[in-house]
Amino acid sequence: LLMGEAMRSALEEPYTIDGHQYSTAASIGITLFPKQHEAVEDLLREADTAMYRAKDLGRNCISFYEAAMQADAKERLALEQDLKKAKAEGQLAVHVQPQVNAAGMVIGGELLMRWNHPVRGSVPPSCFIPVAESSGLILRMGDWMIEQACETLAQLQAAQRVVSISVNVSERQFRQADFVERVRSLLDRTGAPPEHLILEVTESLLIENLDKTVARMTELVQMGLRFSIDDFGTGYSSLAYLKKLPIFELKIDKSFVQDTPDDPNGTAIVESIIAVARLLKLHVVAEGVETQAQADFLTSHHCDCLQGYLFGRPEPLEPWLQRRLA
């Protein structure tokens, strides 16, 4: 461990190339030997598996190989292979969860991806989204979700029943060089009103390359789109980036909402987020609202929009859309 930490620290030291200063980080996997009946290839595989675990733990750290990791790695690979076939075989579906105002009127909906596997059954997003991210499958899946959002908005607008539609955008998807053009193409092809499309991003997107992030977000905002910071309060949560970024909305994480109004700490956090948002003239959505007491507390503090089981569980997009159109 001491040797691994020394290597990691050495690699982290800044260095200069052609007058420019750079730094790097290392995820290190370690396995122990000798072991009975293990060849060099086995040891390399174990160290590689431990290295990927270090990446999963947040990168720039050290992880030792454990036997359970190999089983996890095999399951992850099997899940990735199944996910590659899921879209072509119609296993992926789009669900929507309604968002309401203080009066209980539906003013929007968040699109959510669901995976129903013929053998695994319903696979939770918390299981397959990280696999999609690490494998790059999230790029194709993310494009499909934005396309579904655009087509939904186009139909709602044609029937004069338009509401805002939110869709999650992963960091890897947002960082694509042609992401702006992809979105522009989808808007042009579908005729969707961009001012009703909300792209939800997480705070991790904002930590690195802030200037490039601001430039790309600004380009999309100039097209009419709006941005929401999802799970606000659980990550970076710096007021500095709220001043710099063209943000429309903050989404209070459900972990804080579920503690209101009984827990003083959770309640104080929710009150603070709403107060900051109002000062910055930002829209506020509270997710995970499950009780009337939570809803009453949020509306009494002028939360703009509520989302949660109290108002509706995620359901297949098509029947929800048909009800809106009718």
Side-chain angles (χ1 to χ4, degrees):
L1 178 60
L2 291 175
M3 183 179 294
E5 184 59 37
M7 291 173 60
R8 192 197 63 78
S9 298
L11 290 168
E12 202 174 25
E13 286 293 322
Y15 52 91
T16 303
I17 300 177
D18 295 334
H20 298 281
Q21 193 171 67
Y22 299 89
S23 62
T24 187
S27 299
I28 300 176
I30 300 175
T31 190
L32 301 178
F33 71 95
K35 297 177 182 177
Q36 287 186 345
H37 312 300
E38 284 204 351
V40 173
E41 293 80 4
D42 298 316
L43 294 172
L44 290 173
R45 186 189 67 249
E46 291 175 1
D48 189 55
T49 299
M51 182 267 291
Y52 277 106
R53 174 57 61 89
K55 287 186 175 183
D56 290 341
L57 293 173
R59 300 177 183 271
N60 196 29
C61 62
I62 299 169
S63 177
F64 278 87
Y65 174 80
E66 298 173 7
M69 289 182 183
Q70 193 62 37
D72 290 344
K74 287 182 178 179
E75 172 58 20
R76 191 182 185 95
L77 180 59
L79 198 65
E80 180 182 328
Q81 296 303 316
D82 286 350
L83 191 56
K84 287 179 179 178
K85 298 183 292 184
K87 177 67 170 62
E89 296 180 0
Q91 298 171 18
L92 298 181
V94 182
H95 282 48
V96 60
Q97 187 171 32
Q99 299 173 331
V100 306
N101 61 13
M105 180 183 299
V106 175
I107 58 173
E110 180 185 0
L111 298 194
L112 303 163
M113 187 180 294
R114 294 293 183 261
W115 181 15
N116 189 30
H117 188 273
V119 178
R120 298 174 184 271
S122 179
V123 184
S126 58
C127 290
F128 73 82
I129 293 298
V131 173
E133 283 271 11
S134 62
S135 65
L137 292 172
I138 196 69
L139 302 179
R140 189 167 71 244
M141 293 162 62
D143 283 352
W144 180 61
M145 289 296 287
I146 295 178
E147 180 182 27
Q148 295 296 305
C150 289
E151 290 180 350
T152 299
L153 283 171
Q155 293 183 63
L156 289 170
Q157 179 175 250
Q160 297 182 343
R161 296 286 190 273
V162 69
V163 294
S164 294
I165 296 295
S166 300
V167 63
N168 288 278
V169 174
S170 75
E171 180 176 354
R172 189 164 183 172
Q173 184 183 4
F174 181 87
R175 299 287 185 207
Q176 287 183 104
D178 62 345
F179 179 68
V180 174
E181 290 308 314
R182 284 172 178 263
V183 175
R184 193 194 312 275
S185 176
L186 287 170
L187 289 169
D188 291 342
R189 183 172 63 78
T190 60
E195 66 275 12
H196 291 286
L197 178 59
I198 299 177
L199 303 182
E200 293 191 10
V201 297
T202 59
E203 294 174 86
S204 60
L205 174 72
L206 313 173
I207 298 175
E208 297 179 8
N209 300 320
L210 184 59
D211 291 340
K212 290 183 178 179
T213 299
V214 171
R216 180 160 296 184
M217 291 179 74
T218 300
E219 192 173 356
L220 288 161
V221 167
Q222 288 172 347
M223 291 163 50
L225 282 75
R226 295 178 290 178
F227 277 93
S228 174
I229 303 297
D230 195 14
D231 301 334
F232 186 78
T234 62
Y236 191 48
S237 299
S238 169
L239 298 182
Y241 72 68
L242 291 182
K243 291 171 57 179
K244 295 180 179 180
L245 294 169
I247 298 298
F248 164 72
E249 176 182 276
L250 299 182
K251 201 166 188 182
I252 305 175
D253 186 69
K254 61 183 178 183
S255 62
F256 302 127
V257 173
Q258 68 185 13
D259 292 334
T260 60
D262 300 323
D263 179 72
N265 293 327
T267 300
I269 291 172
V270 172
E271 289 175 338
S272 299
I273 293 174
I274 294 175
V276 168
R278 290 183 66 81
L279 287 171
L280 296 174
K281 297 180 172 57
L282 299 175
H283 194 256
V284 184
V285 178
E287 62 179 348
V289 182
E290 298 183 358
T291 68
Q292 191 60 51
Q294 292 168 351
D296 292 341
F297 167 80
L298 291 162
T299 53
S300 69
H301 284 77
H302 309 289
C303 183
D304 301 291
C305 183
L306 310 176
Q307 177 181 343
Y309 288 174
L310 181 64
F311 309 103
R313 291 176 177 269
E315 63 170 299
L317 175 60
E318 190 58 31
W320 179 86
L321 177 59
Q322 292 306 316
R323 290 201 306 274
R324 296 296 306 171
L325 295 176

